[in-house]
Amino acid sequence: MIRGKSKVDAAPATTLFLFGAHGDLVKRLLMPALYNLRRDGLVDNGLHIVGVDHNEVSDADFAAKLKNFIIEQAKIKGSEDEDQIIDPALWEKLTKRISYITGDFTDPATYKAVEERIAKTGTGNAMFYLATSPRFFSEVTERLGEAGLLKETPEAFRRVVIEKPFGSDLATAQALNACLLGVMKETQIYRIDHYLGKETVQNILISRFSNGIFEAFWNNHYIDHVQITAAETVGVETRGSFYDSTGALRDMVPNHLFQLLAMVAMEPPAAFGADAVRGEKAKVVGAIRPYSKADALKNSVRAQYTSGEGGKPGYREEPKVDPESKTETYVALKVLIDNWRWVGVPFYLRTGKRLSHRDTEIAICFKQAPYAQFRDTEIDRLKPNYLKIGIQPNEGMWFDLQAKRPGPALIMENVELGFAYKDFFQMTPSTGYETLLYDCMTGDQTLFQRADNIENGWRAVQPFLDAWKEGGSVATYAAGEEGPEEADELLARDGRSWQPLG
Ligand code: BG6
């Protein structure tokens, strides 16, 4: 996190190895982010980028490919002029330090070449970014360890960045952690959850802990319930085979949605350092009540999209998806946090693909005013107050209040106090990975998941995975709708309803 410093220094010289250099992640996010860091002076000539993958490409062709990635992504976002997207002088400097290693991730010769490349760049510091398929996470790390490439000295760091999915359940996540911790220290491991790279997610901590007013009502005396939504309009796109064996629960809940829950529900950390922040997050996710299988079924809804308006295909018609698939593309959960602050306050979580709106938002619903003193106003006509924290695409915070509509009659109306990022800040284009890459190079682990953060997340979703394996049904919703009726019933049972999407 680029913390309250008036000036932020360029990261120390680093050789960054991109394992899986031809993959989607490098193309869509890592390369544009690295370029943005260079543009903003947060990395300088000390950065060497080395692609590692099995395809044969020359250094020059690899550099040209990376340049095209940046241009392509910027054009998708609406930029036109290539010289505006990439400053030719800057690219000239960057390109001199881009190189490539053709190698198989399972071949010791690849790691020998990595060692030689570190010697050649002369930086000593090395960052190994595993932008590979998850099946290589253990293998690459073990081989880096065997080759002695993870040994640090006081002058040179060695860090490994691991993407998600980190395991597919509690047991596999524990096994992966054991493997990583068998070859290096926790301080060398950077487990990415890209939600933590989002400004609006980082801002939850700042809003809560740098404004004195919130703490007074941030508890079960005043908060009725919390809704956390990550709604997407896209379907599974080209990721059918990955998604079909993963599903919405594994894909979004133990990682992204629990990050949001932790930011809202954690206790104030003693300091804004990695240990204190991650310790509090681990505690609160660890306090999520472990359900029995019966309770897990009762408190969850899973659903799959069918074909919808505008000829959108159903999930089972998507490429590389089993036509009989029972994989969920939507999940809604009610979870409870067993600690003093939150006992009795349900957290309702929902996420899904092909929904009516793209909308990631946290809605904190406050308890109703206890008594309606106003003439002819019944308590059940007073609306509860909501604090809405917009993560994307609406970035900001909004407070719903009741106000008197001007005029002789006493009529209440819902009004909004709001803060939208776009009204206050000029944002330079960014992918969200800039901060994460910068933090990794500067050795700040605050925005990365520690082993216990990951395992507590999986521990909390394991009862749902276990219960679904044995029973329960998969509901449906038409592509383009707000979700299945069953998800509305989950809240209606408690006398509550979801905030509309969008
Ligand atoms: C990824 C999931 O981790 O997050 C995707 O694998 C999902 O399925 C994506 O679409 C959502 O990220 P964002 O930043 O668009 O909310």
Side-chain angles (χ1 to χ4, degrees), residues 191-441:
R191 300 175 192 80
I192 290 245
D193 182 317
H194 80 276
Y195 263 48
L196 290 175
K198 295 181 192 290
E199 288 291 342
T200 44
V201 174
Q202 294 170 25
N203 187 49
I204 301 171
L205 285 199
I206 308 305
S207 301
R208 276 190 64 196
F209 301 130
S210 64
N211 294 296
I213 52 160
F214 287 123
E215 180 55 20
F217 53 73
W218 210 259
N219 55 51
N220 56 5
H221 297 295
Y222 299 99
I223 294 181
D224 177 73
H225 73 277
V226 176
Q227 299 183 14
I228 301 180
T229 299
E232 299 185 274
T233 48
V234 291
V236 292
E237 299 178 296
T238 53
R239 298 159 76 223
S241 64
F242 159 76
Y243 198 86
D244 210 29
S245 60
T246 304
L249 178 67
R250 287 186 170 95
D251 191 37
M252 295 291 289
V253 178
N255 31 65
H256 309 326
L257 263 55
F258 280 178
Q259 286 299 339
L260 299 181
L261 175 144
M263 291 293 205
V264 169
M266 69 193 267
E267 292 302 313
F272 264 119
D275 278 344
V277 170
R278 298 191 303 174
E280 292 305 337
K281 285 164 77 178
K283 271 193 234 162
V284 76
V285 175
I288 293 177
R289 183 178 301 174
Y291 283 135
S292 64
K293 284 187 197 154
D295 282 342
L297 280 185
K298 203 166 95 200
N299 289 300
S300 65
V301 170
R302 58 186 155 145
Q304 199 180 70
Y305 61 85
T306 54
S307 57
E309 62 180 33
K312 289 192 189 103
Y315 174 67
R316 292 179 180 184
E317 286 108 57
E318 298 278 14
K320 299 200 181 142
V321 167
D322 176 358
E324 311 260 294
S325 175
K326 290 206 161 64
T327 301
E328 79 286 355
T329 59
Y330 178 101
V331 59
L333 306 176
K334 171 181 173 181
V335 301
L336 302 169
I337 299 175
D338 286 334
N339 66 19
W340 276 42
R341 187 186 288 268
W342 295 114
V343 68
V345 180
F347 281 67
Y348 299 101
L349 275 48
R350 66 180 159 164
T351 181
K353 298 226 178 258
R354 280 268 191 260
L355 295 172
S356 56
H357 297 81
R358 176 163 180 255
D359 183 11
T360 301
E361 182 186 87
I362 299 166
I364 317 270
C365 178
F366 292 92
K367 291 188 172 164
Q368 251 184 3
Y371 171 67
Q373 322 44 10
F374 310 107
R375 260 176 300 134
D376 302 329
T377 313
E378 292 156 27
I379 183 77
D380 57 4
R381 278 174 34 214
L382 290 182
K383 296 224 178 78
N385 302 114
Y386 279 94
L387 172 64
K388 293 183 193 152
I389 305 173
I391 306 295
Q392 64 189 27
N394 299 323
E395 303 180 314
M397 293 173 83
W398 292 269
F399 220 132
D400 279 356
L401 298 177
Q402 300 280 322
K404 178 183 171 297
R405 186 197 288 177
L410 183 59
I411 299 173
M412 307 273 201
E413 206 150 296
N414 235 33
V415 296
E416 211 171 57
L417 299 181
F419 144 60
Y421 271 71
K422 61 175 168 43
D423 296 341
F424 286 84
F425 304 115
Q426 233 198 340
M427 315 268 274
T428 46
S430 74
T431 64
Y433 268 73
E434 289 79 358
T435 310
L436 298 175
L437 286 163
Y438 179 82
D439 282 4
C440 186
M441 288 183 232

Side-chain angles (χ1 to χ4, degrees), residues 65-136:
K65 191 169 175 174
L66 294 184
K67 186 177 179 189
N68 285 338
F69 284 168
I70 300 169
I71 293 172
E72 216 178 285
Q73 292 307 306
K75 284 191 174 167
I76 292 174
K77 292 187 177 150
S79 306
E80 297 275 305
D81 181 353
E82 294 193 7
D83 279 356
Q84 291 255 306
I85 298 171
I86 294 194
D87 171 353
L90 207 57
W91 182 255
E92 188 58 32
K93 286 186 190 153
L94 196 57
T95 202
K96 286 194 185 123
R97 287 170 172 72
I98 294 178
S99 64
Y100 186 78
I101 293 173
T102 306
D104 190 305
F105 302 149
T106 62
D107 182 357
T110 305
Y111 300 87
K112 187 84 198 123
V114 168
E115 190 181 353
E116 286 164 7
R117 195 61 52 92
I118 296 175
K120 195 167 163 202
T121 62
T123 61
N125 295 328
M127 207 168 122
F128 304 104
Y129 201 118
L130 307 197
T132 64
S133 150
R135 75 197 149 94
F136 290 115

